[in-house]
Amino acid sequence: MCGIVGYIGAKNATELLLNGLESLEYRGYDSAGIAVFDGEKLRVAKEKGRLSVLREVLSKSPAKGNLGIGHTRWATHGVPSVKNSHPHTNESGTIAVVHNGIIENHEALKAFLKDKGYVFVSETDTEVIPHLIDYYYDGDLLSAVQKAAKKLDGSYALGVVCSYEPDKIIAVRKDSPLIVGLGKDGNFIASDIPAILSETKDVYLLNDNEFVVLKKDGVSICDTNSAPIKKEVYKVQFSAQASQKEGYEHFMLKEIHEQPQAIRNTLRGRLDKNLNLNLDNIEFSDKIEKLYIVACGTAYHAGLVGKKAIETLAKIPCEVCLASEFRYGEPLINEHTAVLVVSQSGETADTLAVLRMAKKECNKVYAITNVVGSSIAREADYVFYTYAGPEIAVASTKAYTTQLVAFYLFAIHLAELKKTTVAPVLDELKNQLLNLDGAINEAIALDEKIKALSKKIAKEHDVYFLGRGLDYFVAMEASLKLKEISYIHSDAYASGELKHGPIALIEDGTVVISICTNPDISNKLNSNVKEVTARGAHTVGFTSCLSDTSAYNEIIELPKINPILAPLPAIIPLQLLAYHVCTAKGFDVDKPRNLAKSVTVE
C-alpha cells in the first residue's frame, strides 16, 4: 500500500497523477512512482522519499502522455528503495502495475514464475503481478488480469496498463479500497476520493472482484467471468477545499479546530432541540445479550469509552477487542451477540475481516465510520456515519471525538429502549451533547497554555499518563497521540496499577501527566500522583474537578461537564499537546514516520 491514482483522457496524465498522489500524501508513504504511455512505450519514473523528489526528477525529464498510473508506497515487503517502488513492470516493460494490499502466496507464485524463466529485481510481493499478467497475456489485457487475479491470495487493489493496449486501464479490487472517477475530459481510478476531487465528484464505488475497463470516453465494469455489472454514480458531498489546510500550518491543527463543527455534523438529524433521538433507522434486537466492540488504534480507544457509556446507561455487557486479535481468539459469538466495528476510513483491513467473519455467526453487525460508501459501510447490517469530513492528518483527532459522540448516542438510545436509565438523566446528557460547543471551544482555547507546557515535554525521552475509569481511556489516547507524532516514548497506566510495577520507572524529573474529570474518584487519583511525586516525578494535572492540587507542579483546568461525557473536551488539549511537542521538535506533524492513515493490510 498506500496510494493509487490512474488516468486516461485528453489531459496531461503526469500532472494529474502527481496532483492526485499529492492529495493522498496523508496516507503515509516512503516512495512514489508513475508509469505514463508516451506514445511509443511506458515511461516509468520512481524515486525514494517524498513526492517532491519525483516531481523534481520529472521536471527535468518530463513524461508526456494521456494514459498513466501512479503510486505512493508504504513499505510492507522490502525496504524503501527505488527498486521496490511502484509501478512494477514485466521484464520487457510493456506491462506496468500499481498495487495496494498484500499478496500472501507471492513466494509460491514467484517460484512458479522463476521456473518459467521470469527474472525478479525487487524484494516485493507486488512484482509477481506484472509477471503473472505477462504469463497469461495473449493480446487481451482484461482477460490476462482476470486470470492472474484468480491466482492471487490476499488483498489487492490493482491498476494495470499495457503499451500494446494504450487505450485502456484495467483495475480490480479485493479487500483493498479502489474507486472510479468519472471526469469530463477523461476517467480515473484512485484508492481514495481526495485524489480526484479537483477533477470530478462523480464516482463508482467498487466491490470486491469487480473488474474495470477504463477508457477516455467511458467505463465498463464486469465480474471475473466478464459478465457486465451496472453501478450507480455516487456524488461526493464534500469539496476539494475541505481537503486543504485553509490557512492552518498543518492538517492536524486544522482538524483539531474543526471538532466543534464535526461534532455538530454528527449530531445533526440524530438529536433535535426537543431531545428526540433518531439513529438513522438503526434497529437493535431484544435478543442481544452482549455486544463486542471491535476496532484498531484510536478507534479502539473510542470503543473503550463506548463500552463504559453503554454498560452504564443501557446495562448491556460489552467487550472491547482489538480487531487484529479478535478473529484468532475464538470469540464466543452467536445469535445473542452483536458486533460493532469502528473505523474512520471504513477500510481498515483487520476490522473489515472481523465484520465479514461476524456476519456469518452473530445477530447483527453494526458499524461506526466516517466514509460514506466505504467497504465497512456497505457490508455492515447497519451503519452510523460520523460525518466528520475528510481527516487528512495521520494522527486522528476529529474522527475520535465524533466516534465518541456516536457511542454516546448509541448508549442513550439503547437505554431508552431498555428503560435502564431514568429519563431525566438521559435528558440531561442529551442537553449537554447539544450544547457541547461551549466545552469544546473552551478546551481549544487552552492552546497557549498547552504550547508553553509543550516546550518542557519536547525535551523528554519518556512521558507517562495516568487516569482512572474513563480518564484512563483518555490517557491511552493521549499517550498514543504523543508517541505517534513526537516519537517520545509514552505509556498510559490505570493509576491504581502504578504500585504493581510501573512505579519502578519513575525517577527525578520524570514527567507524569494525570487526567482527572470524575470527582467521585479524584481522591484516589490524587493518592497515586503523590506516590510518583514522592519519587521525584514532575507532575502535570489535566483536571476539571480536583480541589487539592498540592501534588502537582502544573495544572491545566479542563471544562466542567458530566463525567460520562468528559472524555470529549478532555482529549482536545492533549491532542494540542502532542501537536505542539511535535512542532517544537521539528517533525512532520501530518506525516509521521512509518505510519499510514488507512491501514489496508493485516
Side-chain angles (χ1 to χ4, degrees):
M1 63 184 210
C2 198
I4 286 176
V5 182
Y7 172 74
I8 181 170
K11 295 183 178 181
N12 177 4
T14 297
E15 193 61 26
L16 288 174
L17 294 176
L18 292 175
N19 290 343
L21 292 175
E22 189 171 38
S23 298
L24 297 178
E25 282 193 300
Y26 67 91
R27 295 170 71 93
Y29 67 101
D30 49 57
S31 56
I34 64 169
V36 173
F37 183 71
D38 65 6
E40 296 181 0
K41 65 182 188 318
L42 289 175
R43 165 81 187 282
V44 177
K46 307 193 287 187
E47 294 294 332
K48 178 184 173 183
R50 292 300 184 198
L51 195 62
S52 57
V53 179
L54 180 63
R55 276 191 182 277
E56 179 66 20
V57 169
L58 288 168
S59 70
K60 297 174 182 177
S61 179
K64 296 181 179 180
N66 307 118
L67 162 73
I69 52 176
H71 190 271
T72 49
R73 177 179 186 255
W74 185 83
T76 55
H77 293 67
V79 299
S81 66
V82 172
K83 73 174 183 178
N84 288 332
S85 303
H86 298 215
H88 288 284
T89 69
N90 61 342
E91 194 169 352
S92 63
T94 56
I95 295 171
V97 172
V98 289
H99 165 228
N100 281 350
I102 289 179
I103 305 304
E104 296 174 357
N105 63 333
H106 71 279
E107 290 290 356
L109 291 173
K110 192 172 185 178
F112 167 79
L113 290 164
K114 281 185 172 181
D115 190 55
K116 300 295 182 183
Y118 286 88
V119 177
F120 288 78
V121 298
S122 79
E123 305 165 293
T124 70
D125 56 329
T126 300
E127 196 184 355
V128 301
I129 302 171
H131 291 314
L132 196 60
I133 294 171
D134 178 275
Y135 175 76
Y136 287 116
Y137 187 70
D138 60 0
D140 185 339
L141 185 60
L142 172 61
S143 176
V145 175
Q146 288 170 324
K147 290 174 182 176
K150 289 179 181 178
K151 300 296 183 181
L152 302 178
D153 293 337
S155 59
Y156 50 84
L158 303 179
V160 185
V161 292
C162 177
S163 59
Y164 297 133
E165 299 181 48
D167 63 334
K168 63 175 69 76
I169 298 174
I170 305 298
V172 61
R173 66 154 283 175
K174 177 180 175 290
D175 298 336
S176 196
L178 196 67
I179 62 164
V180 173
L182 308 173
K184 292 181 180 178
D185 297 306
N187 297 300
F188 301 81
I189 58 168
S191 50
D192 206 352
I193 288 171
I196 61 169
L197 263 186
S198 62
E199 299 295 323
T200 181
K201 287 189 174 184
D202 294 339
V203 304
Y204 288 141
L205 303 172
L206 298 179
N207 294 317
D208 282 354
N209 302 310
E210 291 184 339
F211 292 80
V212 180
V213 180
L214 202 74
K215 296 190 174 184
K216 65 179 181 180
D217 54 0
V219 174
S220 59
I221 303 174
C222 64
D223 64 15
T224 304
N225 299 312
S226 296
I229 296 173
K230 290 186 177 182
K231 306 285 287 188
E232 290 187 9
V233 174
Y234 169 70
K235 291 191 173 291
V236 179
Q237 298 303 308
F238 59 88
S239 66
Q241 186 180 9
S243 301
Q244 304 304 313
K245 293 178 184 175
E246 298 179 356
Y248 287 93
E249 188 174 355
H250 300 99
F251 280 113
M252 183 180 179
L253 185 62
K254 172 178 178 272
E255 288 156 10
I256 290 172
H257 282 262
E258 285 177 339
Q259 286 177 109
Q261 182 60 54
I263 289 170
R264 288 195 294 272
N265 292 345
T266 306
L267 290 168
R268 185 177 294 119
R270 275 78 178 255
L271 182 60
D272 64 28
K273 63 182 179 180
N274 296 317
L275 306 186
N276 297 312
L277 197 60
N278 173 23
L279 289 198
D280 307 339
N281 299 313
I282 293 174
E283 297 178 1
F284 290 93
S285 169
D286 56 10
K287 294 181 180 179
I288 297 175
E289 298 174 357
K290 183 176 181 178
L291 179 65
Y292 285 97
I293 299 169
V294 185
C296 304
T298 285
Y300 171 76
H301 295 158
L304 292 169
V305 176
K307 165 189 165 71
K308 181 66 173 177
I310 292 169
E311 289 186 340
T312 299
L313 299 177
K315 313 302 181 189
I316 295 176
C318 297
E319 187 172 338
V320 188
C321 305
L322 292 165
S324 55
E325 293 292 327
F326 184 78
R327 288 185 299 150
Y328 308 108
E330 299 182 0
L332 301 175
I333 54 178
N334 54 43
E335 70 274 14
H336 298 294
T337 57
V339 171
L340 170 56
V341 298
V342 191
S343 167
Q344 187 281 140
S345 68
E347 301 291 351
T348 310
D350 291 306
T351 309
L352 183 56
V354 168
L355 183 156
R356 289 170 174 164
M357 179 193 78
K359 283 196 73 171
K360 299 174 184 177
E361 301 182 45
C362 73
N363 187 290
K364 293 291 180 185
V365 178
Y366 302 86
I368 296 173
T369 186
N370 186 35
V371 181
V372 177
S374 60
S375 297
I376 284 174
R378 283 179 284 160
E379 296 186 35
D381 295 305
Y382 296 100
V383 59
F384 184 102
Y385 291 111
T386 55
Y387 298 124
E391 189 179 65
I392 306 301
V394 168
S396 181
T397 53
K398 64 179 180 175
Y400 172 75
T401 48
T402 54
Q403 287 165 1
L404 294 187
V405 172
F407 273 115
Y408 290 132
L409 294 179
F410 270 65
I412 293 169
H413 178 63
L414 288 167
E416 287 182 335
L417 288 176
K418 295 174 69 64
K419 296 180 171 56
T420 48
T421 299
V422 295
V425 171
L426 297 180
D427 286 348
E428 176 58 24
L429 291 173
K430 291 178 186 178
N431 264 315
Q432 292 201 24
L433 283 170
L434 285 173
N435 294 285
L436 270 175
D437 272 17
I440 301 299
N441 285 316
E442 189 180 336
I444 292 173
L446 292 167
D447 188 59
E448 285 303 315
K449 290 183 179 179
I450 298 300
K451 191 173 183 178
L453 172 63
S454 70
K455 293 177 182 178
K456 171 173 175 51
I457 306 298
K459 300 174 183 177
E460 301 300 313
H461 296 287
D462 305 280
V463 174
Y464 300 100
F465 290 83
L466 301 180
R468 281 180 178 261
L470 286 168
D471 293 331
Y472 171 43
F473 305 145
V474 175
M476 294 171 71
E477 175 61 12
S479 175
L480 177 61
K481 285 288 143 305
L482 186 65
K483 71 182 69 164
E484 274 184 314
I485 62 173
S486 75
Y487 318 142
I488 292 173
H489 167 251
S490 170
D491 285 324
Y493 294 105
S495 61
E497 285 297 296
L498 270 177
K499 60 183 69 68
H500 298 291
I503 201 166
L505 298 169
I506 305 301
E507 55 190 8
D508 281 346
T510 301
V511 172
V512 177
I513 297 173
S514 73
I515 302 148
C516 186
T517 62
N518 187 345
D520 292 341
I521 53 177
S522 61
N523 288 337
K524 295 289 187 183
L525 179 69
N526 245 4
S527 296
N528 302 137
V529 172
K530 288 177 181 178
E531 292 168 2
V532 296
T533 301
R535 289 156 177 84
H538 181 92
T539 54
V540 182
F542 283 69
T543 180
S544 60
C545 64
L546 281 177
S547 55
D548 176 10
T549 60
S550 60
Y552 294 86
N553 297 100
E554 302 179 63
I555 287 288
I556 302 293
E557 291 284 351
L558 297 174
K560 288 181 170 55
I561 195 170
N562 188 302
I564 202 167
L565 302 178
L568 277 165
I571 192 58
I572 290 171
L574 293 159
Q575 294 170 343
L576 287 166
L577 179 65
Y579 170 80
H580 285 303
V581 170
C582 180
T583 58
K585 292 173 75 72
F587 297 144
D588 192 332
V589 174
D590 293 328
K591 298 185 282 291
R593 68 188 184 200
N594 302 333
L595 297 179
K597 181 65 179 174
S598 179
V599 184
T600 54
V601 295
E602 290 188 58

